[in-house]
Structure formats: C-alpha cells, structure tokens
Short mmCIF file of all heavy atoms in Angstrom, two decimals:
data_model
loop_
_atom_site.label_atom_id
_atom_site.label_comp_id
_atom_site.label_asym_id
_atom_site.label_seq_id
_atom_site.Cartn_x
_atom_site.Cartn_y
_atom_site.Cartn_z
N ASP A 1 15.93 100.49 84.69
CA ASP A 1 15.38 100.30 86.04
C ASP A 1 15.66 101.49 86.95
O ASP A 1 15.30 101.46 88.13
CB ASP A 1 15.91 99.02 86.67
CG ASP A 1 17.41 99.06 86.95
OD1 ASP A 1 18.06 100.06 86.59
OD2 ASP A 1 17.93 98.08 87.53
N GLY A 2 16.31 102.54 86.43
CA GLY A 2 16.62 103.70 87.25
C GLY A 2 17.84 103.51 88.13
O GLY A 2 18.20 104.42 88.87
N GLN A 3 18.49 102.35 88.05
CA GLN A 3 19.68 102.06 88.85
C GLN A 3 20.85 101.65 87.95
O GLN A 3 21.65 100.80 88.31
CB GLN A 3 19.37 100.95 89.86
CG GLN A 3 18.25 101.28 90.83
CD GLN A 3 18.60 102.43 91.75
OE1 GLN A 3 19.73 102.55 92.20
NE2 GLN A 3 17.62 103.28 92.03
N TYR A 4 20.90 102.21 86.76
CA TYR A 4 21.96 101.93 85.79
C TYR A 4 21.92 100.49 85.30
O TYR A 4 22.95 99.92 84.93
CB TYR A 4 23.35 102.24 86.39
CG TYR A 4 23.49 103.66 86.86
CD1 TYR A 4 23.44 103.96 88.21
CD2 TYR A 4 23.64 104.70 85.95
CE1 TYR A 4 23.55 105.27 88.64
CE2 TYR A 4 23.75 106.01 86.38
CZ TYR A 4 23.71 106.29 87.72
OH TYR A 4 23.81 107.60 88.16
N TRP A 5 20.73 99.89 85.28
CA TRP A 5 20.62 98.56 84.69
C TRP A 5 19.24 98.42 84.06
O TRP A 5 18.56 99.41 83.86
CB TRP A 5 20.90 97.47 85.74
CG TRP A 5 21.41 96.20 85.10
CD1 TRP A 5 20.75 95.01 85.02
CD2 TRP A 5 22.64 96.03 84.40
NE1 TRP A 5 21.51 94.09 84.33
CE2 TRP A 5 22.69 94.69 83.94
CE3 TRP A 5 23.73 96.86 84.12
CZ2 TRP A 5 23.75 94.16 83.23
CZ3 TRP A 5 24.80 96.35 83.42
CH2 TRP A 5 24.81 95.02 82.99
N TRP A 6 18.83 97.20 83.75
CA TRP A 6 17.69 96.99 82.90
C TRP A 6 16.63 96.11 83.55
O TRP A 6 16.95 95.19 84.30
CB TRP A 6 18.11 96.32 81.58
CG TRP A 6 19.26 97.00 80.92
CD1 TRP A 6 20.57 96.63 80.96
CD2 TRP A 6 19.21 98.19 80.13
NE1 TRP A 6 21.34 97.51 80.25
CE2 TRP A 6 20.53 98.48 79.72
CE3 TRP A 6 18.18 99.04 79.73
CZ2 TRP A 6 20.85 99.58 78.94
CZ3 TRP A 6 18.50 100.14 78.95
CH2 TRP A 6 19.81 100.40 78.56
N LYS A 7 15.40 96.39 83.22
CA LYS A 7 14.31 95.46 83.47
C LYS A 7 14.26 94.47 82.30
O LYS A 7 14.94 94.66 81.30
CB LYS A 7 12.98 96.22 83.57
CG LYS A 7 12.92 97.20 84.73
CD LYS A 7 11.60 97.96 84.72
CE LYS A 7 11.54 98.98 85.85
NZ LYS A 7 10.26 99.75 85.83
N PRO A 8 13.46 93.39 82.39
CA PRO A 8 13.41 92.42 81.29
C PRO A 8 13.02 93.06 79.96
O PRO A 8 12.12 93.91 79.89
CB PRO A 8 12.35 91.43 81.76
CG PRO A 8 12.39 91.52 83.25
CD PRO A 8 12.67 92.96 83.56
N ALA A 9 13.73 92.68 78.91
CA ALA A 9 13.45 93.20 77.57
C ALA A 9 12.18 92.57 77.00
O ALA A 9 11.78 91.47 77.41
CB ALA A 9 14.62 92.94 76.64
N SER A 10 11.57 93.25 76.06
CA SER A 10 10.36 92.72 75.41
C SER A 10 10.38 93.08 73.93
O SER A 10 10.91 94.12 73.53
CB SER A 10 9.10 93.27 76.08
OG SER A 10 9.04 94.68 75.98
N LEU A 11 9.80 92.21 73.13
CA LEU A 11 9.67 92.46 71.69
C LEU A 11 8.51 93.41 71.44
O LEU A 11 7.39 93.16 71.87
CB LEU A 11 9.43 91.13 70.97
CG LEU A 11 9.32 91.18 69.44
CD1 LEU A 11 10.65 91.57 68.82
CD2 LEU A 11 8.87 89.82 68.90
N VAL A 12 8.79 94.54 70.76
CA VAL A 12 7.75 95.55 70.54
C VAL A 12 7.46 95.75 69.05
O VAL A 12 6.68 96.64 68.71
CB VAL A 12 8.15 96.90 71.18
CG1 VAL A 12 8.19 96.77 72.69
CG2 VAL A 12 9.46 97.42 70.64
N GLY A 13 8.04 94.94 68.18
CA GLY A 13 7.74 95.08 66.76
C GLY A 13 8.55 94.15 65.89
O GLY A 13 9.62 93.68 66.30
N VAL A 14 8.03 93.85 64.70
CA VAL A 14 8.74 93.06 63.70
C VAL A 14 8.62 93.78 62.36
O VAL A 14 7.79 94.67 62.18
CB VAL A 14 8.17 91.63 63.60
CG1 VAL A 14 8.40 90.86 64.89
CG2 VAL A 14 6.68 91.66 63.25
N GLY A 15 9.47 93.41 61.42
CA GLY A 15 9.40 94.01 60.08
C GLY A 15 10.10 95.34 59.96
O GLY A 15 9.93 96.04 58.94
N TRP A 16 10.90 95.71 60.93
CA TRP A 16 11.56 97.01 60.91
C TRP A 16 12.84 97.01 60.08
O TRP A 16 13.51 98.05 59.97
CB TRP A 16 11.87 97.45 62.33
CG TRP A 16 10.65 97.83 63.12
CD1 TRP A 16 9.75 96.97 63.70
CD2 TRP A 16 10.18 99.15 63.42
NE1 TRP A 16 8.75 97.68 64.33
CE2 TRP A 16 9.00 99.01 64.18
CE3 TRP A 16 10.65 100.43 63.13
CZ2 TRP A 16 8.27 100.12 64.65
CZ3 TRP A 16 9.93 101.52 63.60
CH2 TRP A 16 8.76 101.37 64.34
N GLN A 17 13.19 95.88 59.46
CA GLN A 17 14.42 95.83 58.67
C GLN A 17 14.33 96.70 57.42
O GLN A 17 15.36 97.05 56.82
CB GLN A 17 14.76 94.38 58.27
CG GLN A 17 13.80 93.76 57.27
CD GLN A 17 12.60 93.09 57.91
OE1 GLN A 17 12.26 93.40 59.05
NE2 GLN A 17 11.99 92.15 57.20
N GLY A 18 13.14 97.09 57.01
CA GLY A 18 12.98 97.94 55.84
C GLY A 18 13.22 99.41 56.10
O GLY A 18 13.15 100.22 55.16
N MET A 19 13.52 99.78 57.33
CA MET A 19 13.72 101.18 57.68
C MET A 19 15.21 101.54 57.62
O MET A 19 16.04 100.86 58.22
CB MET A 19 13.17 101.47 59.09
CG MET A 19 11.71 101.11 59.26
SD MET A 19 10.65 102.00 58.06
CE MET A 19 9.05 101.26 58.42
N THR A 20 15.51 102.60 56.89
CA THR A 20 16.90 103.03 56.76
C THR A 20 17.31 104.04 57.81
O THR A 20 18.49 104.37 57.93
CB THR A 20 17.12 103.65 55.37
OG1 THR A 20 16.25 104.78 55.21
CG2 THR A 20 16.82 102.63 54.27
N GLU A 21 16.35 104.54 58.56
CA GLU A 21 16.66 105.48 59.64
C GLU A 21 15.56 105.36 60.69
O GLU A 21 14.38 105.27 60.36
CB GLU A 21 16.73 106.91 59.12
CG GLU A 21 17.37 107.90 60.06
CD GLU A 21 18.88 107.78 60.11
OE1 GLU A 21 19.56 108.31 59.21
OE2 GLU A 21 19.38 107.16 61.08
N LEU A 22 15.96 105.35 61.97
CA LEU A 22 15.02 105.36 63.08
C LEU A 22 15.37 106.57 63.95
O LEU A 22 16.51 106.74 64.37
CB LEU A 22 15.12 104.07 63.90
CG LEU A 22 14.74 102.78 63.16
CD1 LEU A 22 14.98 101.56 64.05
CD2 LEU A 22 13.29 102.82 62.71
N ILE A 23 14.37 107.40 64.22
CA ILE A 23 14.59 108.70 64.85
C ILE A 23 13.73 108.81 66.09
O ILE A 23 12.56 108.39 66.09
CB ILE A 23 14.25 109.84 63.87
CG1 ILE A 23 15.02 109.67 62.55
CG2 ILE A 23 14.53 111.20 64.48
CD1 ILE A 23 14.16 109.71 61.33
N ALA A 24 14.29 109.36 67.15
CA ALA A 24 13.57 109.56 68.41
C ALA A 24 13.30 111.04 68.62
O ALA A 24 14.13 111.76 69.18
CB ALA A 24 14.40 109.00 69.57
N PRO A 25 12.14 111.55 68.18
CA PRO A 25 11.86 112.99 68.31
C PRO A 25 11.26 113.37 69.65
O PRO A 25 11.13 114.56 69.95
CB PRO A 25 10.83 113.22 67.20
CG PRO A 25 10.06 111.95 67.16
CD PRO A 25 11.05 110.84 67.47
N GLY A 26 10.88 112.39 70.48
CA GLY A 26 10.10 112.70 71.67
C GLY A 26 8.63 112.65 71.32
O GLY A 26 8.19 111.83 70.52
N ASP A 27 7.85 113.54 71.90
CA ASP A 27 6.40 113.56 71.67
C ASP A 27 6.12 114.38 70.42
O ASP A 27 5.86 115.58 70.49
CB ASP A 27 5.69 114.14 72.89
CG ASP A 27 4.18 114.11 72.75
OD1 ASP A 27 3.68 113.48 71.80
OD2 ASP A 27 3.51 114.72 73.60
N PHE A 28 6.13 113.74 69.26
CA PHE A 28 6.04 114.45 67.98
C PHE A 28 4.64 114.95 67.69
O PHE A 28 4.47 115.97 67.01
CB PHE A 28 6.52 113.53 66.85
CG PHE A 28 6.73 114.23 65.55
CD1 PHE A 28 7.77 115.12 65.38
CD2 PHE A 28 5.89 114.00 64.47
CE1 PHE A 28 7.97 115.78 64.17
CE2 PHE A 28 6.08 114.64 63.25
CZ PHE A 28 7.12 115.54 63.11
N ASP A 29 3.63 114.25 68.19
CA ASP A 29 2.25 114.65 67.89
C ASP A 29 1.55 115.29 69.08
O ASP A 29 0.35 115.53 69.04
CB ASP A 29 1.43 113.46 67.37
CG ASP A 29 1.48 112.28 68.34
OD1 ASP A 29 2.03 112.44 69.44
OD2 ASP A 29 0.97 111.20 67.98
N SER A 30 2.28 115.55 70.15
CA SER A 30 1.77 116.27 71.32
C SER A 30 0.57 115.59 71.97
O SER A 30 -0.35 116.25 72.45
CB SER A 30 1.39 117.71 70.94
OG SER A 30 2.49 118.41 70.42
N ASP A 31 0.63 114.25 72.03
CA ASP A 31 -0.43 113.53 72.73
C ASP A 31 0.01 113.07 74.11
O ASP A 31 -0.71 112.33 74.79
CB ASP A 31 -0.92 112.34 71.92
CG ASP A 31 0.14 111.26 71.75
OD1 ASP A 31 1.31 111.49 72.12
OD2 ASP A 31 -0.20 110.17 71.23
N GLY A 32 1.21 113.49 74.52
CA GLY A 32 1.71 113.13 75.84
C GLY A 32 2.56 111.88 75.88
O GLY A 32 3.06 111.51 76.94
N HIS A 33 2.78 111.22 74.73
CA HIS A 33 3.57 109.99 74.68
C HIS A 33 4.71 110.14 73.68
O HIS A 33 4.54 110.77 72.62
CB HIS A 33 2.69 108.80 74.27
CG HIS A 33 1.45 108.65 75.09
ND1 HIS A 33 1.46 108.58 76.47
CD2 HIS A 33 0.13 108.57 74.72
CE1 HIS A 33 0.23 108.45 76.92
NE2 HIS A 33 -0.60 108.46 75.87
N ASP A 34 5.85 109.55 74.01
CA ASP A 34 7.00 109.61 73.11
C ASP A 34 6.78 108.71 71.90
O ASP A 34 6.19 107.63 71.99
CB ASP A 34 8.27 109.18 73.85
CG ASP A 34 8.73 110.25 74.83
OD1 ASP A 34 8.54 111.43 74.53
OD2 ASP A 34 9.28 109.88 75.88
N ASP A 35 7.29 109.17 70.74
CA ASP A 35 7.04 108.52 69.47
C ASP A 35 8.34 108.13 68.79
O ASP A 35 9.44 108.45 69.26
CB ASP A 35 6.24 109.47 68.55
CG ASP A 35 5.00 110.03 69.23
OD1 ASP A 35 4.27 109.24 69.84
OD2 ASP A 35 4.79 111.26 69.17
N VAL A 36 8.22 107.47 67.64
CA VAL A 36 9.36 107.11 66.80
C VAL A 36 9.04 107.51 65.37
O VAL A 36 7.91 107.30 64.89
CB VAL A 36 9.67 105.61 66.88
CG1 VAL A 36 10.71 105.20 65.83
CG2 VAL A 36 10.17 105.23 68.27
#
C-alpha cells in the first residue's frame, strides 16, 4: 500500500507446486510489464 503494509491479497494462480524455482527478472520481454 506504499505505507509499509498491504492491500487485500488475491489468488493469481494455481498449479505452481510443480515449479522448483520462481524468479523475478523484471520486464523480461520488454513489453512494459514485470514478468515471472
């Protein structure tokens, strides 16, 4: 929320238990949006 706390959480995906690594590269494909 920009004040050292949180807005309400939301579910953004399921089935991610099969991933052995999750990486935050930023905008990996240069479309202006951050990716995973």
Side-chain angles (χ1 to χ4, degrees):
D1 66 356
Q3 300 295 322
Y4 303 104
W5 206 248
W6 311 99
K7 297 177 182 179
S10 61
L11 182 67
V12 294
V14 295
W16 289 77
Q17 69 272 21
M19 304 302 175
T20 60
E21 194 75 81
L22 297 176
I23 306 128
D27 184 9
F28 192 69
D29 54 7
S30 301
D31 66 351
H33 308 306
D34 287 327
D35 309 313
V36 171

